[in-house]
Amino acid sequence: MTAAPLPPVAPEVTATLVEDLSPRLRKRLDAAVTKLGSRPTHRDGDTVTIAVDDDTELRLHAPGGVVATVDAITCGCLLAPACVHRAAAACAAPAADPAPEPEPAPDAAPDLAAQPAAPTVPDSTPPPDDPTLLIAPAPATAPAGAPAPATTAPRPTPAPDEATPAQREAAAALWSAGAAVLEAGVAGAGAVAQAALLRAAHTARLRQLPRAASAALSVVTLLRAARAGDPSYRTAELVTALAELLGTAHRVGSAVAAELAAVRGRARRPYSPDGSLRLYGLFTEPVVTDSGHGGARTWVATADGRLCTVGDVAPGGVGRALGVADRTVRLGDTALTHRELGRAGLAVSGATVSPDGRLGAGKSVKAVTARGAAWTEPPLAALWEAPPAEQAARALRSVSRYAEPDGGGSDLLFLDVELLGAVRESAGTCLLARCDGGVPVRLAVADDDPALAHRDNLMLLATAPGTRLRIIGRLVPAPHPRLTLLACSHPTGDSTVDLGYDRLIRADLPDPGAPVHSAPARPGGPGAKSPLHLLERRVEQTVPAGRATLGMLGDVTAEARRLRHAGLPTAAGLLTALRASAARRERDLFGRLLPADTDGFAAHWLAAARYTAAVAESLCGAAWEPGPGALTHGSAGATAPRPAGSPR
């Protein structure tokens, strides 16, 4: 038999199959999942068959590509349907994204989640030195062990701009499932814990909390990748997903009006009409994902400076990314290829645009080729006029680990720079440049795949110190100014260079000069030798092995002292509280250990995770300020804005 990937399984199907198992079979579930993962599979139309053994087959029927009902998974063993194989197959398969919610009836109450969310203004109030003030209870209906809400009086009937009791109940279930994963860690969060998350995600989706439900599905996907030893798995991604899940679930009980709309999120990200647009091409970048997809994305700007994209990404990897660049853009009747559009223009009527700037290609969209604009001509030249620090602040809002949905903005920066030469780093070599205000910027390779031109072009540019370029790069959050280099003006010509596709040669450079191996700029500036990592690593250490392991790691007094001496008293307090919460176990009158306070520990962990992200982003933004740096370590710890939704 040839191997065939398992079809996605609806979250509620997996949850139901696991819940229906006997306690004895639940203990065998993880081993059964591992065993099925090594068995041969084959596909016949909509059905995928797994050979459980020489005499038994298990079938997953997926009309439309998704296993949508419990009865769609059948097993031929003697114990079926009460066997462990059906649940194991569901747990081994990817979790399916839920189907879009039905449109509300015309006379139904307005769906706040389906309306654009107003941007949430970050709270600029400095975090208090007392870390306990950053720790808030779980939702009002959280199980025993979570801190009690401020009042126990019955709530009045909810207004349309606050969460319903059913939504609070769903949020509490998500909090509990997320806290249980944090308690057990990756090693202990097997199929049963994942099924609890899937059930909570399904319930949240039904109760119009799609943002929290999506976060729960992300946690499940990352847990499975971690337990399977997937080389693309990163602990930091699971930290972010868990903090997003817990933080969103926590906010449901208190959010109102526009904030509630952001907390609830969207089940769909629709394209909205945008009338007629005059578009000017900027550049085209190759897109290659870890999931094996490849393609091209062309960036364009409207006459008023808004950034939009036209993309073509599908399964195929880097080979497809190279081929798609010279295919016709899927937008109206234009005959332009992606690379041609990056230097030309379009006049579009009936345009539709998604919240993240993607241009729709529906039948009503009409597009004809028009004149483009040079990067030095209006309206594109205006993109380079904003100060680098202002651009970095805008990009940070876009790439923040906990950015609000539909917050808008782009992660691109448009800079005029002078090249200084190559700088060696532990991860490789990057290009050092100086932009306006004397701010030194490290320009890194956007994609190391040798089939793409990124690395060769960057290494060649490093041999031409003193060259002035107009560049476009993607912000990399770091304690020093850093971008991945995507496009630049031609070093000696009037054209532009798509650095992923166009290959520069030495003849394209000005007179050669010796590389400048410059030391890291402003070594005493923001983020240099910041001890924030002392808290960050404790936050990350919790995820692989759970609360108990963090509690056994020993005293953190010395680490807390370093944080205080560096002007980060809140970080020191959070570290101390996190370690104490991890180690705390109460006993009853007979000396027996009581269950751990998983909800209290989750609140401490969430506060630490969100705080470290906020401070890291503040240090990144401060690094882009011209001059010696206006933000020191001490002020970073005292004035970092608290991200919306972090525990108070």
Side-chain angles (χ1 to χ4, degrees), residues 378-592:
L380 299 186
L383 296 171
W384 278 265
E385 294 176 359
E390 180 181 317
Q391 295 190 49
R394 180 256 304 152
L396 266 174
R397 291 192 292 271
S398 174
V399 302
S400 170
R401 281 178 270 179
Y402 308 108
E404 296 291 351
D406 302 338
S410 162
D411 57 358
L412 300 185
L413 270 70
F414 303 82
L415 304 176
D416 289 306
V417 302
E418 177 187 356
L419 302 184
L420 301 180
V423 172
R424 292 184 179 88
E425 299 180 322
S426 58
T429 302
C430 67
L431 176 60
L432 190 66
R434 183 186 295 113
C435 65
D436 293 343
V439 177
V441 183
R442 292 175 185 242
L443 306 176
V445 174
D447 194 311
D448 261 323
D449 194 303
L452 301 175
H454 288 295
R455 176 156 293 282
D456 291 344
N457 284 334
L458 187 137
M459 292 298 97
L460 187 62
L461 290 172
T463 66
T467 302
R468 297 282 303 180
L469 292 177
R470 178 158 280 194
I471 67 169
I472 302 175
R474 177 167 287 117
L475 179 71
V476 178
H480 54 267
R482 189 178 187 88
L483 303 175
T484 53
L485 190 57
L486 301 173
C488 70
S489 58
H490 196 283
T492 55
D494 297 328
S495 62
T496 60
V497 181
D498 296 338
L499 291 168
Y501 288 118
D502 304 326
R503 290 189 179 271
L504 294 169
I505 60 176
R506 189 160 296 276
D508 294 320
L509 302 181
D511 293 337
V516 177
H517 299 276
S518 176
R522 293 192 289 173
K529 299 180 180 179
S530 170
L532 185 65
H533 70 275
L534 298 174
L535 178 59
E536 288 176 324
R537 71 174 182 176
R538 298 302 186 187
V539 169
E540 288 200 7
Q541 284 172 341
T542 305
V543 172
R547 175 199 56 79
T549 300
L550 182 63
M552 295 185 294
L553 287 178
D555 186 51
V556 294
T557 303
E559 296 176 5
R561 186 182 302 115
R562 282 188 59 189
L563 289 166
R564 288 193 178 91
H565 287 171
L568 296 170
T570 305
L574 286 169
L575 176 60
T576 302
L578 181 64
R579 167 63 176 77
S581 179
R584 184 180 301 120
R585 291 295 301 272
E586 303 293 341
R587 294 181 181 271
D588 63 14
L589 295 175
F590 299 98
R592 295 171 298 192

Side-chain angles (χ1 to χ4, degrees), residues 361-385:
K363 294 181 180 179
S364 62
V365 178
K366 307 296 181 185
V368 296
T369 303
R371 178 185 176 274
W375 287 2
T376 54
E377 299 175 349
L380 299 186
L383 296 171
W384 278 265
E385 294 176 359

Side-chain angles (χ1 to χ4, degrees), residues 284-288 294-297 312 316-330 337-339 451-452 500-501:
T284 300
E285 64 171 321
V287 178
V288 182
R297 180 190 297 119
D312 184 352
V318 69
R320 188 176 191 280
L322 291 170
V324 165
D326 294 312
R327 293 184 187 176
T328 303
V329 172
R330 299 175 181 174
T337 66
H338 278 275
R339 295 175 72 175
L452 301 175
Y501 288 118

